[in-house]
Amino acid sequence: MVRNSREEWKTRAEVFDAFTERVLIKLSSQKHFDGLSSIVSPGKEAVVFAAAKGEEFVAVKIYKLETAKFSKMYDYIRVDPRYQRVQNRKRQVIFKWAEREYNNLLLMREAGISVPMPITHRDNIIVMEFIGHDQLASPLLAHNAPENPEDFAEETFRQLEVITKAGFVHGDLSEFNIINHDERPVFIDFSHMAPLKAPNSDFLLERDVKNVCRYFSKIGIDKDPETVLKELS
Ligand SMILES: Nc1ncnc2c1ncn2[C@@H]1O[C@H](COP(=O)(O)OP(=O)(O)O)[C@@H](O)[C@H]1O
Ligand SMILES: [Mg+2]
């Protein structure tokens, strides 16, 4: 966690423009949270905060309006059959990108995948369940290998199968978008998730499977990506 440092101020300056401040005030007046507490992740396109809500915490993901790579986002989202009408205008692309992530989280929740429960979204902001203990986010799989790699891998591949069976591909899956929450995988960062009928879904699925297999082979679980792909299709 970055706190009270120069980086934290830089991150805050990049994300808190007047528009975003107003959206945060609206969300807070609707009682989704009391106020932002600490930065969990100062990402390039989005910053994730822990926000207090009474005694608990929620996660608030804010897409940056200025530094966002919106033309890349546009290329990805316009081939999703659900979002073909998105226009190539910066704010609209960013808002739709956040909306798609929220809707994807809802779909995954309904399919039974272990994801943060989505709470609400508005413009460039998503509010969701905080995966951690108090204000401390649980670590990414990349930073905290499982104690029992076999069980963790089995559960991860099982969830991958459920996502595919539901007709979707995560699209940005790797050890950097799986949280190791008390030794169980929680999938996050669903902004890339697209239906399998999207024209780029084969490419995305192959990339996801290869990333996950590469990670698990590093911790001693050998799975052949081709076999996994065959099992999924
Ligand atoms: N719901 C959540 N609860 C706890 N931590 C989270 C949550 N969502 C994201 N994070 C943390 O914030 C980081 C960035 O979030 P992510 O959605 O992957 O955005 P991006 O990779 O686009 O910056 C994650 O790697 C994770 O550490
Ligand atoms: Mg991520």
Side-chain angles (χ1 to χ4, degrees), residues 55-99:
E55 298 290 294
E56 312 212 318
F57 286 90
V58 293
V60 177
K61 183 171 183 177
I62 308 179
Y63 279 96
K64 293 182 191 174
L65 294 177
E66 287 317 315
T67 57
K69 283 193 208 149
F70 89 98
S71 46
K72 267 228 168 104
M73 291 174 171
Y74 179 63
D75 290 342
Y76 272 108
I77 203 167
R78 64 200 278 251
V79 296
D80 184 328
R82 299 171 297 170
Y83 288 88
Q84 272 167 347
R85 295 160 73 130
V86 175
Q87 289 171 354
N88 192 6
R89 293 213 316 266
K90 197 169 181 174
R91 286 215 174 163
Q92 198 194 115
V93 171
I94 295 167
F95 296 171
K96 285 289 169 189
W97 190 257
E99 178 191 303

mmCIF file of all heavy atoms in Angstrom, residues 55-99:
data_model
loop_
_atom_site.group_PDB
_atom_site.id
_atom_site.type_symbol
_atom_site.label_atom_id
_atom_site.label_comp_id
_atom_site.label_asym_id
_atom_site.label_seq_id
_atom_site.Cartn_x
_atom_site.Cartn_y
_atom_site.Cartn_z
ATOM 1 N N GLU A 55 -18.205 0.285 9.650
ATOM 2 C CA GLU A 55 -17.074 -0.460 10.202
ATOM 3 C C GLU A 55 -16.343 -1.263 9.131
ATOM 4 O O GLU A 55 -15.305 -1.857 9.386
ATOM 5 C CB GLU A 55 -17.576 -1.455 11.264
ATOM 6 C CG GLU A 55 -18.248 -0.818 12.455
ATOM 7 C CD GLU A 55 -17.245 -0.086 13.322
ATOM 8 O OE1 GLU A 55 -16.382 -0.763 13.908
ATOM 9 O OE2 GLU A 55 -17.309 1.167 13.385
ATOM 10 N N GLU A 56 -16.944 -1.305 7.918
ATOM 11 C CA GLU A 56 -16.383 -2.167 6.884
ATOM 12 C C GLU A 56 -15.681 -1.353 5.799
ATOM 13 O O GLU A 56 -15.623 -0.142 5.868
ATOM 14 C CB GLU A 56 -17.517 -2.982 6.265
ATOM 15 C CG GLU A 56 -18.387 -3.608 7.343
ATOM 16 C CD GLU A 56 -18.953 -4.922 6.932
ATOM 17 O OE1 GLU A 56 -19.382 -5.028 5.775
ATOM 18 O OE2 GLU A 56 -18.959 -5.823 7.780
ATOM 19 N N PHE A 57 -15.192 -2.074 4.784
ATOM 20 C CA PHE A 57 -14.554 -1.399 3.658
ATOM 21 C C PHE A 57 -15.121 -1.914 2.355
ATOM 22 O O PHE A 57 -15.511 -3.079 2.246
ATOM 23 C CB PHE A 57 -13.041 -1.614 3.693
ATOM 24 C CG PHE A 57 -12.379 -0.805 4.767
ATOM 25 C CD1 PHE A 57 -12.206 -1.337 6.039
ATOM 26 C CD2 PHE A 57 -11.982 0.501 4.534
ATOM 27 C CE1 PHE A 57 -11.641 -0.588 7.054
ATOM 28 C CE2 PHE A 57 -11.415 1.268 5.549
ATOM 29 C CZ PHE A 57 -11.241 0.715 6.808
ATOM 30 N N VAL A 58 -15.197 -1.032 1.363
ATOM 31 C CA VAL A 58 -15.537 -1.456 0.003
ATOM 32 C C VAL A 58 -14.369 -1.043 -0.895
ATOM 33 O O VAL A 58 -13.536 -0.221 -0.505
ATOM 34 C CB VAL A 58 -16.860 -0.815 -0.502
ATOM 35 C CG1 VAL A 58 -18.054 -1.323 0.285
ATOM 36 C CG2 VAL A 58 -16.806 0.710 -0.475
ATOM 37 N N ALA A 59 -14.318 -1.635 -2.081
ATOM 38 C CA ALA A 59 -13.280 -1.255 -3.046
ATOM 39 C C ALA A 59 -13.897 -0.277 -4.050
ATOM 40 O O ALA A 59 -15.010 -0.490 -4.518
ATOM 41 C CB ALA A 59 -12.744 -2.492 -3.758
ATOM 42 N N VAL A 60 -13.159 0.790 -4.352
ATOM 43 C CA VAL A 60 -13.632 1.789 -5.315
ATOM 44 C C VAL A 60 -12.586 1.874 -6.424
ATOM 45 O O VAL A 60 -11.436 2.247 -6.185
ATOM 46 C CB VAL A 60 -13.816 3.166 -4.627
ATOM 47 C CG1 VAL A 60 -14.236 4.227 -5.647
ATOM 48 C CG2 VAL A 60 -14.859 3.071 -3.509
ATOM 49 N N LYS A 61 -12.994 1.474 -7.625
ATOM 50 C CA LYS A 61 -12.065 1.491 -8.759
ATOM 51 C C LYS A 61 -12.402 2.699 -9.631
ATOM 52 O O LYS A 61 -13.531 2.809 -10.129
ATOM 53 C CB LYS A 61 -12.190 0.186 -9.556
ATOM 54 C CG LYS A 61 -11.209 0.078 -10.728
ATOM 55 C CD LYS A 61 -11.228 -1.315 -11.350
ATOM 56 C CE LYS A 61 -10.201 -1.442 -12.449
ATOM 57 N NZ LYS A 61 -10.152 -2.796 -13.029
ATOM 58 N N ILE A 62 -11.446 3.586 -9.783
ATOM 59 C CA ILE A 62 -11.683 4.826 -10.537
ATOM 60 C C ILE A 62 -10.831 4.815 -11.809
ATOM 61 O O ILE A 62 -9.593 4.764 -11.733
ATOM 62 C CB ILE A 62 -11.302 6.069 -9.710
ATOM 63 C CG1 ILE A 62 -11.988 6.032 -8.332
ATOM 64 C CG2 ILE A 62 -11.654 7.353 -10.462
ATOM 65 C CD1 ILE A 62 -11.633 7.220 -7.438
ATOM 66 N N TYR A 63 -11.498 4.830 -12.955
ATOM 67 C CA TYR A 63 -10.749 4.942 -14.217
ATOM 68 C C TYR A 63 -10.331 6.387 -14.428
ATOM 69 O O TYR A 63 -11.146 7.303 -14.282
ATOM 70 C CB TYR A 63 -11.602 4.452 -15.398
ATOM 71 C CG TYR A 63 -11.570 2.944 -15.497
ATOM 72 C CD1 TYR A 63 -12.570 2.169 -14.945
ATOM 73 C CD2 TYR A 63 -10.486 2.315 -16.102
ATOM 74 C CE1 TYR A 63 -12.508 0.783 -14.997
ATOM 75 C CE2 TYR A 63 -10.414 0.933 -16.154
ATOM 76 C CZ TYR A 63 -11.429 0.175 -15.607
ATOM 77 O OH TYR A 63 -11.349 -1.190 -15.657
ATOM 78 N N LYS A 64 -9.067 6.601 -14.752
ATOM 79 C CA LYS A 64 -8.577 7.970 -14.981
ATOM 80 C C LYS A 64 -9.165 8.512 -16.271
ATOM 81 O O LYS A 64 -9.144 7.828 -17.298
ATOM 82 C CB LYS A 64 -7.050 7.953 -15.093
ATOM 83 C CG LYS A 64 -6.357 7.582 -13.816
ATOM 84 C CD LYS A 64 -4.854 7.629 -14.011
ATOM 85 C CE LYS A 64 -4.147 7.002 -12.834
ATOM 86 N NZ LYS A 64 -2.698 6.905 -13.037
ATOM 87 N N LEU A 65 -9.652 9.740 -16.216
ATOM 88 C CA LEU A 65 -10.261 10.313 -17.414
ATOM 89 C C LEU A 65 -9.206 10.815 -18.383
ATOM 90 O O LEU A 65 -9.415 10.853 -19.585
ATOM 91 C CB LEU A 65 -11.193 11.465 -17.026
ATOM 92 C CG LEU A 65 -12.416 11.045 -16.219
ATOM 93 C CD1 LEU A 65 -13.232 12.268 -15.831
ATOM 94 C CD2 LEU A 65 -13.286 10.074 -17.016
ATOM 95 N N GLU A 66 -8.061 11.191 -17.854
ATOM 96 C CA GLU A 66 -7.062 11.814 -18.731
ATOM 97 C C GLU A 66 -6.016 10.848 -19.276
ATOM 98 O O GLU A 66 -5.716 10.850 -20.451
ATOM 99 C CB GLU A 66 -6.374 12.974 -18.006
ATOM 100 C CG GLU A 66 -7.282 14.181 -17.880
ATOM 101 C CD GLU A 66 -8.064 14.494 -19.170
ATOM 102 O OE1 GLU A 66 -7.452 14.467 -20.253
ATOM 103 O OE2 GLU A 66 -9.283 14.750 -19.092
ATOM 104 N N THR A 67 -5.485 9.987 -18.420
ATOM 105 C CA THR A 67 -4.381 9.163 -18.898
ATOM 106 C C THR A 67 -4.847 7.806 -19.434
ATOM 107 O O THR A 67 -4.041 7.011 -19.867
ATOM 108 C CB THR A 67 -3.336 8.937 -17.790
ATOM 109 O OG1 THR A 67 -4.014 8.347 -16.690
ATOM 110 C CG2 THR A 67 -2.683 10.230 -17.363
ATOM 111 N N ALA A 68 -6.170 7.594 -19.405
ATOM 112 C CA ALA A 68 -6.648 6.284 -19.849
ATOM 113 C C ALA A 68 -6.309 6.036 -21.320
ATOM 114 O O ALA A 68 -6.390 6.931 -22.143
ATOM 115 C CB ALA A 68 -8.147 6.196 -19.632
ATOM 116 N N LYS A 69 -5.938 4.783 -21.589
ATOM 117 C CA LYS A 69 -5.633 4.410 -22.980
ATOM 118 C C LYS A 69 -6.946 4.131 -23.689
ATOM 119 O O LYS A 69 -7.287 2.985 -23.962
ATOM 120 C CB LYS A 69 -4.817 3.122 -22.982
ATOM 121 C CG LYS A 69 -3.381 3.310 -22.619
ATOM 122 C CD LYS A 69 -2.659 2.018 -22.988
ATOM 123 C CE LYS A 69 -1.466 1.790 -22.114
ATOM 124 N NZ LYS A 69 -1.196 0.378 -21.898
ATOM 125 N N PHE A 70 -7.674 5.184 -23.967
ATOM 126 C CA PHE A 70 -9.044 4.939 -24.392
ATOM 127 C C PHE A 70 -9.135 4.357 -25.808
ATOM 128 O O PHE A 70 -10.063 3.639 -26.120
ATOM 129 C CB PHE A 70 -9.900 6.203 -24.227
ATOM 130 C CG PHE A 70 -9.919 7.097 -25.399
ATOM 131 C CD1 PHE A 70 -10.974 7.037 -26.301
ATOM 132 C CD2 PHE A 70 -8.889 7.988 -25.625
ATOM 133 C CE1 PHE A 70 -10.998 7.863 -27.392
ATOM 134 C CE2 PHE A 70 -8.892 8.800 -26.709
ATOM 135 C CZ PHE A 70 -9.947 8.748 -27.603
ATOM 136 N N SER A 71 -8.148 4.639 -26.684
ATOM 137 C CA SER A 71 -8.300 4.078 -28.029
ATOM 138 C C SER A 71 -8.113 2.558 -28.025
ATOM 139 O O SER A 71 -8.747 1.841 -28.796
ATOM 140 C CB SER A 71 -7.394 4.770 -29.047
ATOM 141 O OG SER A 71 -6.119 4.897 -28.538
ATOM 142 N N LYS A 72 -7.242 2.075 -27.130
ATOM 143 C CA LYS A 72 -7.098 0.610 -26.966
ATOM 144 C C LYS A 72 -8.401 0.028 -26.405
ATOM 145 O O LYS A 72 -8.864 -1.036 -26.834
ATOM 146 C CB LYS A 72 -5.963 0.302 -25.986
ATOM 147 C CG LYS A 72 -4.631 0.083 -26.636
ATOM 148 C CD LYS A 72 -3.988 -1.195 -26.073
ATOM 149 C CE LYS A 72 -2.800 -1.605 -26.903
ATOM 150 N NZ LYS A 72 -1.536 -1.285 -26.265
ATOM 151 N N MET A 73 -8.955 0.735 -25.423
ATOM 152 C CA MET A 73 -10.225 0.280 -24.831
ATOM 153 C C MET A 73 -11.294 0.219 -25.927
ATOM 154 O O MET A 73 -12.077 -0.730 -25.983
ATOM 155 C CB MET A 73 -10.710 1.262 -23.761
ATOM 156 C CG MET A 73 -9.870 1.307 -22.513
ATOM 157 S SD MET A 73 -10.476 2.641 -21.457
ATOM 158 C CE MET A 73 -9.549 2.342 -19.959
ATOM 159 N N TYR A 74 -11.305 1.235 -26.772
ATOM 160 C CA TYR A 74 -12.300 1.291 -27.845
ATOM 161 C C TYR A 74 -12.146 0.079 -28.771
ATOM 162 O O TYR A 74 -13.132 -0.573 -29.122
ATOM 163 C CB TYR A 74 -12.144 2.602 -28.622
ATOM 164 C CG TYR A 74 -13.111 2.752 -29.769
ATOM 165 C CD1 TYR A 74 -14.485 2.815 -29.534
ATOM 166 C CD2 TYR A 74 -12.658 2.835 -31.086
ATOM 167 C CE1 TYR A 74 -15.386 2.946 -30.585
ATOM 168 C CE2 TYR A 74 -13.548 2.969 -32.145
ATOM 169 C CZ TYR A 74 -14.910 3.016 -31.888
ATOM 170 O OH TYR A 74 -15.796 3.134 -32.924
ATOM 171 N N ASP A 75 -10.899 -0.248 -29.138
ATOM 172 C CA ASP A 75 -10.659 -1.397 -30.019
ATOM 173 C C ASP A 75 -11.199 -2.690 -29.405
ATOM 174 O O ASP A 75 -11.724 -3.546 -30.110
ATOM 175 C CB ASP A 75 -9.153 -1.573 -30.283
ATOM 176 C CG ASP A 75 -8.616 -0.458 -31.163
ATOM 177 O OD1 ASP A 75 -9.434 0.220 -31.824
ATOM 178 O OD2 ASP A 75 -7.387 -0.259 -31.168
ATOM 179 N N TYR A 76 -11.039 -2.829 -28.088
ATOM 180 C CA TYR A 76 -11.515 -4.048 -27.421
ATOM 181 C C TYR A 76 -13.032 -4.075 -27.301
ATOM 182 O O TYR A 76 -13.667 -5.088 -27.569
ATOM 183 C CB TYR A 76 -10.905 -4.166 -26.020
ATOM 184 C CG TYR A 76 -9.566 -4.870 -25.990
ATOM 185 C CD1 TYR A 76 -8.394 -4.170 -25.751
ATOM 186 C CD2 TYR A 76 -9.482 -6.249 -26.191
ATOM 187 C CE1 TYR A 76 -7.162 -4.810 -25.709
ATOM 188 C CE2 TYR A 76 -8.263 -6.901 -26.151
ATOM 189 C CZ TYR A 76 -7.106 -6.177 -25.910
ATOM 190 O OH TYR A 76 -5.895 -6.834 -25.867
ATOM 191 N N ILE A 77 -13.611 -2.952 -26.895
ATOM 192 C CA ILE A 77 -15.031 -2.971 -26.544
ATOM 193 C C ILE A 77 -15.925 -2.997 -27.786
ATOM 194 O O ILE A 77 -16.997 -3.579 -27.777
ATOM 195 C CB ILE A 77 -15.395 -1.798 -25.589
ATOM 196 C CG1 ILE A 77 -16.669 -2.122 -24.797
ATOM 197 C CG2 ILE A 77 -15.520 -0.475 -26.320
ATOM 198 C CD1 ILE A 77 -16.939 -1.189 -23.626
ATOM 199 N N ARG A 78 -15.458 -2.397 -28.874
ATOM 200 C CA ARG A 78 -16.335 -2.312 -30.043
ATOM 201 C C ARG A 78 -16.573 -3.668 -30.711
ATOM 202 O O ARG A 78 -17.536 -3.823 -31.460
ATOM 203 C CB ARG A 78 -15.781 -1.315 -31.073
ATOM 204 C CG ARG A 78 -14.459 -1.739 -31.661
ATOM 205 C CD ARG A 78 -13.755 -0.560 -32.246
ATOM 206 N NE ARG A 78 -14.251 -0.256 -33.575
ATOM 207 C CZ ARG A 78 -13.568 -0.460 -34.694
ATOM 208 N NH1 ARG A 78 -12.340 -0.971 -34.651
ATOM 209 N NH2 ARG A 78 -14.067 -0.162 -35.853
ATOM 210 N N VAL A 79 -15.691 -4.663 -30.451
ATOM 211 C CA VAL A 79 -15.918 -5.986 -31.029
ATOM 212 C C VAL A 79 -16.763 -6.874 -30.106
ATOM 213 O O VAL A 79 -17.069 -8.016 -30.439
ATOM 214 C CB VAL A 79 -14.597 -6.710 -31.411
ATOM 215 C CG1 VAL A 79 -13.873 -5.941 -32.497
ATOM 216 C CG2 VAL A 79 -13.684 -6.900 -30.195
ATOM 217 N N ASP A 80 -17.134 -6.352 -28.931
ATOM 218 C CA ASP A 80 -18.049 -7.074 -28.050
ATOM 219 C C ASP A 80 -19.463 -6.823 -28.560
ATOM 220 O O ASP A 80 -19.907 -5.667 -28.601
ATOM 221 C CB ASP A 80 -17.883 -6.532 -26.616
ATOM 222 C CG ASP A 80 -18.733 -7.293 -25.597
ATOM 223 O OD1 ASP A 80 -19.830 -7.770 -25.974
ATOM 224 O OD2 ASP A 80 -18.312 -7.387 -24.428
ATOM 225 N N PRO A 81 -20.161 -7.890 -28.985
ATOM 226 C CA PRO A 81 -21.494 -7.688 -29.579
ATOM 227 C C PRO A 81 -22.436 -6.871 -28.686
ATOM 228 O O PRO A 81 -23.345 -6.227 -29.183
ATOM 229 C CB PRO A 81 -22.027 -9.111 -29.745
ATOM 230 C CG PRO A 81 -20.839 -9.995 -29.716
ATOM 231 C CD PRO A 81 -19.776 -9.301 -28.922
ATOM 232 N N ARG A 82 -22.187 -6.871 -27.382
ATOM 233 C CA ARG A 82 -23.057 -6.110 -26.475
ATOM 234 C C ARG A 82 -22.788 -4.608 -26.522
ATOM 235 O O ARG A 82 -23.568 -3.810 -26.023
ATOM 236 C CB ARG A 82 -22.841 -6.586 -25.026
ATOM 237 C CG ARG A 82 -23.158 -8.044 -24.795
ATOM 238 C CD ARG A 82 -22.713 -8.474 -23.400
ATOM 239 N NE ARG A 82 -21.261 -8.359 -23.224
ATOM 240 C CZ ARG A 82 -20.635 -8.485 -22.059
ATOM 241 N NH1 ARG A 82 -21.328 -8.703 -20.956
ATOM 242 N NH2 ARG A 82 -19.323 -8.379 -21.984
ATOM 243 N N TYR A 83 -21.641 -4.221 -27.075
ATOM 244 C CA TYR A 83 -21.233 -2.802 -27.004
ATOM 245 C C TYR A 83 -20.867 -2.219 -28.360
ATOM 246 O O TYR A 83 -20.031 -1.324 -28.446
ATOM 247 C CB TYR A 83 -20.063 -2.646 -26.015
ATOM 248 C CG TYR A 83 -20.516 -2.817 -24.597
ATOM 249 C CD1 TYR A 83 -20.549 -4.079 -24.004
ATOM 250 C CD2 TYR A 83 -20.986 -1.741 -23.853
ATOM 251 C CE1 TYR A 83 -21.015 -4.257 -22.712
ATOM 252 C CE2 TYR A 83 -21.447 -1.911 -22.560
ATOM 253 C CZ TYR A 83 -21.461 -3.161 -21.999
ATOM 254 O OH TYR A 83 -21.926 -3.326 -20.716
ATOM 255 N N GLN A 84 -21.511 -2.744 -29.413
ATOM 256 C CA GLN A 84 -21.100 -2.300 -30.738
ATOM 257 C C GLN A 84 -21.464 -0.848 -31.048
ATOM 258 O O GLN A 84 -20.945 -0.272 -31.985
ATOM 259 C CB GLN A 84 -21.685 -3.224 -31.797
ATOM 260 C CG GLN A 84 -20.733 -4.377 -32.026
ATOM 261 C CD GLN A 84 -21.347 -5.496 -32.809
ATOM 262 O OE1 GLN A 84 -22.555 -5.544 -32.990
ATOM 263 N NE2 GLN A 84 -20.521 -6.401 -33.268
ATOM 264 N N ARG A 85 -22.372 -0.301 -30.262
ATOM 265 C CA ARG A 85 -22.799 1.061 -30.580
ATOM 266 C C ARG A 85 -21.972 2.137 -29.870
ATOM 267 O O ARG A 85 -22.260 3.317 -30.001
ATOM 268 C CB ARG A 85 -24.276 1.231 -30.211
ATOM 269 C CG ARG A 85 -25.145 0.331 -31.079
ATOM 270 C CD ARG A 85 -26.462 0.128 -30.413
ATOM 271 N NE ARG A 85 -27.234 1.369 -30.516
ATOM 272 C CZ ARG A 85 -28.480 1.411 -30.956
ATOM 273 N NH1 ARG A 85 -29.076 0.310 -31.316
ATOM 274 N NH2 ARG A 85 -29.116 2.538 -31.021
ATOM 275 N N VAL A 86 -20.961 1.700 -29.134
ATOM 276 C CA VAL A 86 -20.126 2.690 -28.444
ATOM 277 C C VAL A 86 -19.420 3.564 -29.473
ATOM 278 O O VAL A 86 -18.885 3.074 -30.462
ATOM 279 C CB VAL A 86 -19.063 1.987 -27.562
ATOM 280 C CG1 VAL A 86 -18.126 3.004 -26.937
ATOM 281 C CG2 VAL A 86 -19.741 1.165 -26.494
ATOM 282 N N GLN A 87 -19.457 4.881 -29.239
ATOM 283 C CA GLN A 87 -18.783 5.796 -30.161
ATOM 284 C C GLN A 87 -17.365 6.067 -29.686
ATOM 285 O O GLN A 87 -17.071 5.993 -28.506
ATOM 286 C CB GLN A 87 -19.561 7.103 -30.237
ATOM 287 C CG GLN A 87 -20.868 6.921 -30.976
ATOM 288 C CD GLN A 87 -21.738 8.149 -30.864
ATOM 289 O OE1 GLN A 87 -21.420 9.089 -30.142
ATOM 290 N NE2 GLN A 87 -22.840 8.124 -31.584
ATOM 291 N N ASN A 88 -16.528 6.404 -30.630
ATOM 292 C CA ASN A 88 -15.127 6.620 -30.327
ATOM 293 C C ASN A 88 -14.906 8.011 -29.703
ATOM 294 O O ASN A 88 -14.230 8.851 -30.275
ATOM 295 C CB ASN A 88 -14.301 6.446 -31.614
ATOM 296 C CG ASN A 88 -12.818 6.369 -31.310
ATOM 297 O OD1 ASN A 88 -12.415 6.342 -30.149
ATOM 298 N ND2 ASN A 88 -12.006 6.354 -32.344
ATOM 299 N N ARG A 89 -15.552 8.196 -28.567
ATOM 300 C CA ARG A 89 -15.355 9.464 -27.845
ATOM 301 C C ARG A 89 -14.865 9.126 -26.447
ATOM 302 O O ARG A 89 -15.435 8.256 -25.774
ATOM 303 C CB ARG A 89 -16.668 10.246 -27.784
ATOM 304 C CG ARG A 89 -17.125 10.727 -29.164
ATOM 305 C CD ARG A 89 -17.859 12.051 -29.070
ATOM 306 N NE ARG A 89 -18.806 12.057 -27.965
ATOM 307 C CZ ARG A 89 -20.116 11.737 -28.098
ATOM 308 N NH1 ARG A 89 -20.604 11.435 -29.279
ATOM 309 N NH2 ARG A 89 -20.901 11.752 -27.049
ATOM 310 N N LYS A 90 -13.797 9.801 -26.078
ATOM 311 C CA LYS A 90 -13.032 9.412 -24.893
ATOM 312 C C LYS A 90 -13.891 9.081 -23.663
ATOM 313 O O LYS A 90 -13.827 7.977 -23.134
ATOM 314 C CB LYS A 90 -12.054 10.522 -24.556
ATOM 315 C CG LYS A 90 -10.948 10.098 -23.640
ATOM 316 C CD LYS A 90 -9.904 11.192 -23.605
ATOM 317 C CE LYS A 90 -8.756 10.828 -22.717
ATOM 318 N NZ LYS A 90 -7.688 11.827 -22.808
ATOM 319 N N ARG A 91 -14.677 10.048 -23.214
ATOM 320 C CA ARG A 91 -15.444 9.794 -21.990
ATOM 321 C C ARG A 91 -16.431 8.654 -22.156
ATOM 322 O O ARG A 91 -16.573 7.819 -21.272
ATOM 323 C CB ARG A 91 -16.188 11.051 -21.544
ATOM 324 C CG ARG A 91 -15.227 12.024 -20.955
ATOM 325 C CD ARG A 91 -15.807 12.798 -19.813
ATOM 326 N NE ARG A 91 -14.706 13.580 -19.279
ATOM 327 C CZ ARG A 91 -14.817 14.618 -18.484
ATOM 328 N NH1 ARG A 91 -16.010 15.019 -18.100
ATOM 329 N NH2 ARG A 91 -13.754 15.249 -18.053
ATOM 330 N N GLN A 92 -17.095 8.624 -23.320
ATOM 331 C CA GLN A 92 -18.085 7.567 -23.516
ATOM 332 C C GLN A 92 -17.419 6.192 -23.463
ATOM 333 O O GLN A 92 -17.955 5.255 -22.857
ATOM 334 C CB GLN A 92 -18.817 7.751 -24.853
ATOM 335 C CG GLN A 92 -20.100 6.956 -24.841
ATOM 336 C CD GLN A 92 -20.732 6.798 -26.196
ATOM 337 O OE1 GLN A 92 -20.818 5.687 -26.702
ATOM 338 N NE2 GLN A 92 -21.164 7.900 -26.777
ATOM 339 N N VAL A 93 -16.248 6.090 -24.072
ATOM 340 C CA VAL A 93 -15.541 4.803 -24.072
ATOM 341 C C VAL A 93 -15.180 4.402 -22.634
ATOM 342 O O VAL A 93 -15.412 3.271 -22.212
ATOM 343 C CB VAL A 93 -14.271 4.863 -24.960
ATOM 344 C CG1 VAL A 93 -13.424 3.612 -24.788
ATOM 345 C CG2 VAL A 93 -14.647 5.051 -26.423
ATOM 346 N N ILE A 94 -14.665 5.348 -21.868
ATOM 347 C CA ILE A 94 -14.264 5.046 -20.491
ATOM 348 C C ILE A 94 -15.479 4.667 -19.627
ATOM 349 O O ILE A 94 -15.440 3.698 -18.866
ATOM 350 C CB ILE A 94 -13.484 6.232 -19.868
ATOM 351 C CG1 ILE A 94 -12.168 6.430 -20.626
ATOM 352 C CG2 ILE A 94 -13.200 5.997 -18.388
ATOM 353 C CD1 ILE A 94 -11.468 7.728 -20.318
ATOM 354 N N PHE A 95 -16.578 5.395 -19.809
ATOM 355 C CA PHE A 95 -17.782 5.084 -19.015
ATOM 356 C C PHE A 95 -18.326 3.700 -19.377
ATOM 357 O O PHE A 95 -18.731 2.924 -18.514
ATOM 358 C CB PHE A 95 -18.885 6.125 -19.240
ATOM 359 C CG PHE A 95 -18.536 7.522 -18.777
ATOM 360 C CD1 PHE A 95 -19.365 8.591 -19.083
ATOM 361 C CD2 PHE A 95 -17.394 7.766 -18.025
ATOM 362 C CE1 PHE A 95 -19.042 9.882 -18.664
ATOM 363 C CE2 PHE A 95 -17.071 9.054 -17.603
ATOM 364 C CZ PHE A 95 -17.899 10.109 -17.926
ATOM 365 N N LYS A 96 -18.323 3.394 -20.670
ATOM 366 C CA LYS A 96 -18.822 2.080 -21.107
ATOM 367 C C LYS A 96 -17.895 0.970 -20.628
ATOM 368 O O LYS A 96 -18.316 -0.144 -20.341
ATOM 369 C CB LYS A 96 -18.963 2.044 -22.638
ATOM 370 C CG LYS A 96 -20.163 2.802 -23.137
ATOM 371 C CD LYS A 96 -21.452 2.053 -22.788
ATOM 372 C CE LYS A 96 -22.659 2.909 -23.024
ATOM 373 N NZ LYS A 96 -23.896 2.311 -22.497
ATOM 374 N N TRP A 97 -16.615 1.270 -20.616
ATOM 375 C CA TRP A 97 -15.610 0.306 -20.143
ATOM 376 C C TRP A 97 -15.887 -0.061 -18.687
ATOM 377 O O TRP A 97 -15.877 -1.233 -18.305
ATOM 378 C CB TRP A 97 -14.226 0.933 -20.300
ATOM 379 C CG TRP A 97 -13.080 0.014 -20.079
ATOM 380 C CD1 TRP A 97 -12.293 -0.055 -18.970
ATOM 381 C CD2 TRP A 97 -12.564 -0.963 -21.005
ATOM 382 N NE1 TRP A 97 -11.312 -1.007 -19.137
ATOM 383 C CE2 TRP A 97 -11.456 -1.574 -20.368
ATOM 384 C CE3 TRP A 97 -12.926 -1.369 -22.286
ATOM 385 C CZ2 TRP A 97 -10.713 -2.582 -20.991
ATOM 386 C CZ3 TRP A 97 -12.185 -2.371 -22.900
ATOM 387 C CH2 TRP A 97 -11.094 -2.963 -22.250
ATOM 388 N N ALA A 98 -16.179 0.953 -17.867
ATOM 389 C CA ALA A 98 -16.489 0.713 -16.444
ATOM 390 C C ALA A 98 -17.827 -0.020 -16.322
ATOM 391 O O ALA A 98 -17.967 -0.942 -15.514
ATOM 392 C CB ALA A 98 -16.519 2.036 -15.687
ATOM 393 N N GLU A 99 -18.786 0.382 -17.138
ATOM 394 C CA GLU A 99 -20.103 -0.275 -17.102
ATOM 395 C C GLU A 99 -19.969 -1.754 -17.478
ATOM 396 O O GLU A 99 -20.564 -2.634 -16.857
ATOM 397 C CB GLU A 99 -21.046 0.424 -18.098
ATOM 398 C CG GLU A 99 -22.420 -0.202 -18.183
ATOM 399 C CD GLU A 99 -23.214 0.348 -19.367
ATOM 400 O OE1 GLU A 99 -23.397 1.576 -19.454
ATOM 401 O OE2 GLU A 99 -23.607 -0.461 -20.229
#
